[in-house]
Each structure stands twice: as structure tokens, then as C-alpha cells.
Amino acid sequence: MSNGDFDQMKQFGQLWLEMLSRSGSLFGQMKPGEPPPEAARQFRGAVFKSMADQADQFMRSETFLQAMKQSLDAALNFQKQYQTMLTEFRHSTEGVASTDIDAAMTLLRQMESRVLDRLENLDTQLQGIAERLDRLETDAETSGTKP
Amino acid sequence: MTEPNNGHSTYADWTTQVLEESLANFRRMVRLPFFWQRAQRVRKGAMASEVVYEEGKHRLLHYTGGDGARFRTPLLFVFALVNRPYILDLKPGKSVVEHFVRRGFDTYLVDWGVPTDADKFLTLDDYVNGSMLNIIDFLRERCDVPQVNVLGYCMGGTMSAIFTALHQQFVRNLILLAAGIDFSDDDSLLLKWTKPQYFDVDALVDVCGNVPAQYLQSIFLLLKPIQNLFEKPIALWERMDDDQFVDDFLTMETWLQDNIPVPGEVFREFVKYLYQQNRLVKGQLPVGRHTVQLRNITCPVLNVMARKDDLVPCSQTLPFNDLVSSTDRKTMQLDAGHIGLAVGSKAQTELWPAAVDWLAQRSEAASADSASGPASSASID
């Protein structure tokens, strides 16, 4: 038996032990006059609490994190292959694939950012010119000459 | 004198209880077919609103339900890109917006709309320095004010903090509600799942474009699987004959299931720069041509968080007040979860009246002639 299997068995055993100990302590506190539905509710609450704690621990474990990564990677790989297949099919029928639209969109965004950058530079330059003009006007007013 | 608890009376009590429980189960069963009908009729939103500005899919809603603005500076709600924003105005008596409108704040809310494949290239820069800036420019012009109050919730809170750091001159007061700022705490489940060795955000965004709503929904569900998959349905079953409970449950669930996809590039930036590299607190978050420095924030700040929040734990929100330069800063904590912060009964009775007071104390009263509020609207496509 590998260490991984042993760890999983240990965790599984721990879950049951915790559930049993919680239920045991609950039964110890129970009064004989307490109605069954209320007792069942308390028992259920204790079981869910144990399960929630164990689930939280498990979802932080390396086993779960690796499994999550592998399942996401597998799903993405499948999706990627499917998209490639569709693209090839569309190209072979002289159609437009989503990758072509993406490429056009990327190009547009690059152009947009270049234009915006240029506009921002022009704006800065204009602000500089306006400031210089204001300074010249103020200087001229203080010295009494027209600019 | 009390009756002795003999075996006979205990048995009689037990029998009565079991019988009552069986009858209750029968009543619930009878109500079950009507449950689906009620689910179809869930009403979204409490306050009347009108669209005053549109930019592509983004809309700005103006709440018109109050008795006119008593404060000069308008208040802008910024919600996350993950869900619909009507959680802030869920239903009468469970509406954050209602608190502010009733108190006399000229209140607006940004509805980011549902992104399509054409929006997958939108970045944080497009949202923060594009749409948010345009919306705030529009509001400043419409209300003839130099600044607006901003309230951001969850991811919208993070975006609001980024906006304020970049454009402090336009923000008078900033309220953050469960906004993730510092992602250095390793204990959060989401942080563990998004670690670079376990989660390749580039692969996800490159293949999917926008991040599918179903994927995000399943992640949120997995954060508390036992509670979401077992305890919640059982609680509903047990209180099926409580009309108020069923009504609240359906309204809440309708919103929870109403996820929308997140634009791919924004998701990539959020996960990579914030969750994986924690760049916001380091002063290294790039947004377009700018780098965000939280210390540029100087306005009054109210940082609201929930102690039982499993999505954005307090450890992610608490450090914000120490990272800004504001001298007027306050933290409010509530014993609630992420959503309870907005719609929980404690939030409605304790938190929001206090938050409204906080904002009112820092707001200028409107002059009599502007109290009726502005009426213009605009649209950019």
C-alpha cells in the first residue's frame, strides 16, 4: 500500500471517528424527554458540521488541488482541440473562424491604444504650450508690455 | 408543583412530536408545486430607477424613489463584474440603496451588463480609466459638482479603490464593502485554489475568452459544499410553510444563480496581479499606462467587512486603511457573511444606518434650488 493510499484511508477514518465522537457527545447531553425530531436535528447538525470541516480540510489538501488542476487542464485541452478542429474546418470551407475575429480584434485594440497614446502625448504637449502662453501673458502684464 | 416525568408522558410527548412532524412534512409536500410558480415570479429590485447614461453594455441607473436630494454630492454604487448588481437593491427592507435614497442621497448604480465574446479583451484599464471615469465625468457634469461619493462592493470595491488611487480629485468619500485589497493571507480557500502551481489562468482565458458564469458558480458553490448542497435545501424544506422565509430564499437564490461571465482579460489581471502576485498593496499594479499607488488616496474612507466572509475574508480587506494617506478612515465589521453584509437583517438594522450617518456627516447639504435633482441623460455607444 502506498503512502498516498494510507493518507486517504487515514483521512476517511478520521472523518468517521470525528462524526462518531460528536454524535456520542450529543447523545450524552440528550434528555430523555426530548422529542425525536429535535434530537434528529441536533444529530444531523453534528454530522454536517463534521462533514463541512472535513470537506474544508480536504479542499485544501494537495490531493484535491492536484485533482482540480488536472481536471481543469483536461477540460481546457479538450476545448482547445475542439476549437482547432472547428477552425480548420471553417478555413477549409473558406469560412471565418473565431480565431480570425480574435486576431482582427487584437489588431483593432493595438491601433486604438496607439491612437490613444498619441492623443495623450498631444494633450500633454498642448497643456505645456497653454502653460507657457499663460506665463508669457502674466509676464507681459506685469512688465506692462503686450506679448 | 411539577408533574413527575414518567415513562408514559415521555412516550406521549414523543408520539405527539412525531405526529406533528409528519403533518408538517405533509403540509410542505402540498406546497411544493406552488414553490416553482413562486420562483418564476420573483421580483428584482426595490427602488424605482431610470437609465441616465449608457456606454456600450454599461448602464448608469439613477434611483428616483426618494423625496429629492438633500445632499449635494451624488453617491455612485460600483458592483462586481461577477454577478448582477441588484443584490444592492434586492427587495423592500433588504436594500442598501434604499437606506441612502431615503436619507436624501442622489444615488446612482453602475450596471456593467452581460459581456459577450466581443468584450473578452476589455481590461481593468477599460473599466477603471474608461467607463468609470466617463460615468463619473457624466455625473459631475449632470449634478454640477467637482466630486462624487463612491461605494464599491466586492470586486467593485477593489475597482473603486483603484479608481480613487488614480483619480483622487474626483472622489469625495470612499466606502468599500468587502473589497479584496491584500491577498497575502494564505488561509483563504480561493487563494489556495488560485496559486500559480494549481491554476493556469492564462490557459483558461486563452481557451475560454470570457470566464463562463457556470465555472464561477461552481467555484463559489464549492467554497462551502456541505452548506450549499445539503444544509440549504434541508433548511428550505423545513421552513417551506413559512411564506416570508420562502420569499427571501427565492429572491436570494434567484440572484445567486444569476451569474454572468467575466471578461477574460479582466479576470486574467485580477487573478494574476492580485491573487497570485498581490501587486496592489505593493504599489505595483499596472492599470493601462498607470501604476496604482493606494497612498494617493486622501479622501475619507469607510471600510466595511464581514467577519464570516469566506469569499473576501477580513484579512484581505482590513489592511486597506493602513495603506492610504487619508486621515479620516474608519472600519466597520459585521458578524455576517459576504452577502449578509448587503441583505442580512443585522446589516439592515445596524450596519447601514451607521454607514449612512457616516456619509451624511461628511456631505454638504444641497441648496434649495438643486434639491429637485438634475434631469439630463446621455448615451455613448
Side-chain angles (χ1 to χ4, degrees):
Chain A
M1 192 185 280
S2 70
N3 271 348
D5 292 338
F6 179 73
D7 283 347
Q8 282 180 23
M9 276 180 66
K10 203 174 127 190
Q11 275 181 13
F12 191 68
Q14 207 180 334
L15 167 72
W16 280 102
L17 266 176
E18 205 181 307
M19 254 196 251
L20 284 174
S21 69
R22 275 181 202 234
S23 319
S25 67
L26 204 72
F27 276 121
Q29 291 164 13
M30 221 179 276
K31 297 173 193 88
E34 218 157 48
E38 191 46 44
R41 250 178 229 129
Q42 284 181 18
F43 178 70
R44 188 184 69 201
V47 170
F48 281 155
K49 175 86 178 66
S50 299
M51 281 168 75
D53 289 350
Q54 288 294 326
D56 189 71
Q57 264 182 42
F58 176 64
M59 285 188 303
R60 291 166 192 275
S61 69
E62 188 67 22
T63 318
F64 177 80
L65 293 170
Q66 286 298 344
M68 198 161 84
K69 181 176 166 46
Q70 279 166 14
S71 62
L72 184 65
D73 286 350
L76 290 177
N77 271 335
F78 173 76
Q79 179 79 2
K80 213 171 180 174
Q81 282 173 8
Y82 178 68
Q83 280 174 356
T84 312
M85 193 190 77
L86 276 183
T87 304
E88 279 170 10
F89 172 75
R90 282 184 181 135
H91 284 169
S92 67
T93 53
E94 294 191 350
V96 179
S98 63
T99 47
D100 304 322
I101 299 167
D102 287 351
M105 286 287 288
T106 313
L107 214 68
L108 265 173
R109 283 192 67 83
Q110 281 169 354
M111 276 166 60
E112 186 193 14
S113 62
R114 275 208 302 273
V115 171
L116 285 175
D117 286 353
R118 192 84 191 99
L119 274 175
E120 214 163 304
N121 283 339
L122 283 172
D123 186 47
T124 319
Q125 279 178 24
L126 272 175
Q127 269 179 11
I129 292 169
E131 275 168 20
R132 279 182 64 190
L133 274 174
D134 286 346
R135 260 203 314 273
L136 278 174
E137 274 177 8
T138 324
D139 290 348
E141 272 169 20
T142 47
S143 63
T145 55
K146 283 189 174 180
Chain B
M1 210 174 105
T2 53
E3 227 173 87
N5 190 4
N6 57 32
H8 178 74
S9 70
T10 306
Y11 177 73
D13 284 349
W14 278 42
T15 320
T16 316
Q17 287 283 340
V18 170
L19 202 69
E20 272 174 12
E21 190 66 21
S22 309
L23 278 171
N25 273 329
F26 181 72
R27 278 200 304 274
R28 291 165 195 152
M29 198 97 82
V30 170
R31 276 174 173 257
L32 203 55
F34 304 104
F35 178 77
W36 304 116
Q37 281 183 346
R38 287 179 73 173
Q40 305 298 314
R41 290 198 299 259
V42 171
R43 216 178 128 230
K44 299 166 189 172
M47 304 295 292
S49 66
E50 58 176 358
V51 178
V52 289
Y53 177 86
E54 279 181 272
E55 187 180 323
K57 293 179 186 75
H58 308 162
R59 299 184 312 155
L60 180 65
L61 304 181
H62 178 220
Y63 289 95
T64 52
D67 310 324
R70 287 199 287 273
F71 296 98
R72 188 162 173 251
T73 311
L75 169 65
L76 177 69
F77 281 86
V78 182
F79 191 65
L81 305 174
V82 186
N83 282 87
R84 309 263 190 179
Y86 61 84
I87 184 71
L88 288 165
D89 181 39
L90 197 63
K91 57 189 285 195
K94 284 191 183 295
S95 165
V96 181
V97 168
E98 197 177 7
H99 283 277
F100 288 94
V101 174
R102 298 261 182 257
R103 186 66 181 267
F105 283 98
D106 193 15
T107 309
Y108 297 81
L109 181 140
V110 186
D111 180 358
W112 298 115
V114 183
T116 60
D117 273 351
D119 302 311
K120 67 182 174 189
F121 296 103
L122 290 180
T123 58
L124 262 179
D125 184 39
D126 293 304
Y127 278 93
V128 174
N129 294 321
S131 299
M132 266 183 90
L133 189 58
N134 290 344
I135 285 168
I136 286 178
D137 273 346
F138 166 78
L139 271 182
R140 288 169 53 232
E141 200 178 316
R142 177 181 155 98
C143 304
D144 193 22
V145 288
Q147 292 176 313
V148 300
N149 297 318
V150 176
L151 187 153
Y153 186 13
C154 186
M155 189 182 181
T158 312
M159 286 161 67
S160 301
I162 293 170
F163 178 86
T164 312
L166 294 174
H167 307 283
Q168 172 56 81
Q169 70 273 25
F170 301 138
V171 181
R172 182 171 174 138
N173 297 297
L174 175 67
I175 303 178
L176 297 186
L177 188 56
I181 301 289
D182 183 358
F183 298 85
S184 57
D185 174 34
D186 204 33
D187 203 41
S188 153
L189 207 49
L190 268 186
L191 269 175
K192 277 216 171 341
W193 290 352
T194 49
K195 278 188 172 177
Q197 63 267 36
Y198 303 121
F199 182 60
D200 187 354
V201 66
D202 289 325
L204 179 74
V205 173
D206 289 345
V207 172
C208 297
N210 290 337
V211 180
Q214 296 85 345
Y215 173 74
L216 294 167
Q217 175 70 19
S218 58
I219 294 288
F220 296 145
L221 193 92
L222 262 185
L223 283 173
K224 285 198 168 174
I226 305 298
Q227 200 180 56
N228 290 325
L229 297 171
F230 297 100
E231 290 185 270
K232 209 157 57 166
I234 291 173
L236 171 68
W237 174 252
E238 286 183 342
R239 296 184 68 180
M240 188 68 105
D241 41 3
D242 179 346
D243 277 339
Q244 186 58 48
F245 178 84
V246 172
D247 197 43
D248 288 350
F249 181 90
L250 285 174
T251 317
M252 201 58 231
E253 280 305 300
T254 305
W255 178 80
L256 282 171
Q257 305 303 323
D258 207 359
N259 285 96
I260 50 176
V262 176
E265 287 306 320
V266 175
F267 187 80
R268 194 199 304 264
E269 286 178 320
F270 239 81
V271 171
K272 199 178 261 187
Y273 292 155
L274 297 179
Y275 276 84
Q276 293 181 345
Q277 297 170 4
N278 197 23
R279 284 187 179 212
L280 185 57
V281 292
K282 294 176 187 163
Q284 296 168 353
L285 176 70
V287 175
R289 294 185 354 152
H290 313 273
T291 305
V292 183
Q293 305 290 341
L294 289 175
R295 63 170 182 270
N296 289 346
I297 298 176
T298 53
C299 64
V301 165
L302 175 62
N303 194 4
V304 183
M305 61 203 76
R307 287 192 199 98
K308 292 177 190 163
D309 195 335
D310 48 329
L311 209 60
V312 186
C314 289
S315 56
Q316 287 181 14
T317 50
L318 210 51
F320 178 73
N321 286 15
D322 296 328
L323 296 166
V324 296
S325 305
S326 315
T327 47
D328 182 359
R329 50 201 174 175
K330 188 175 178 175
T331 299
M332 283 185 187
Q333 290 192 3
L334 189 76
D335 217 16
H338 189 71
I339 311 296
L341 207 51
V343 295
S345 50
K346 222 182 223 178
Q348 299 301 322
T349 52
E350 293 171 22
L351 175 73
W352 290 113
V356 173
D357 281 345
W358 181 89
L359 190 62
Q361 284 157 14
R362 286 154 185 84
S363 298
E364 190 186 338
S367 56
D369 54 330
S370 66
S372 54
S376 66
S377 65
S379 160
I380 297 176
D381 289 317

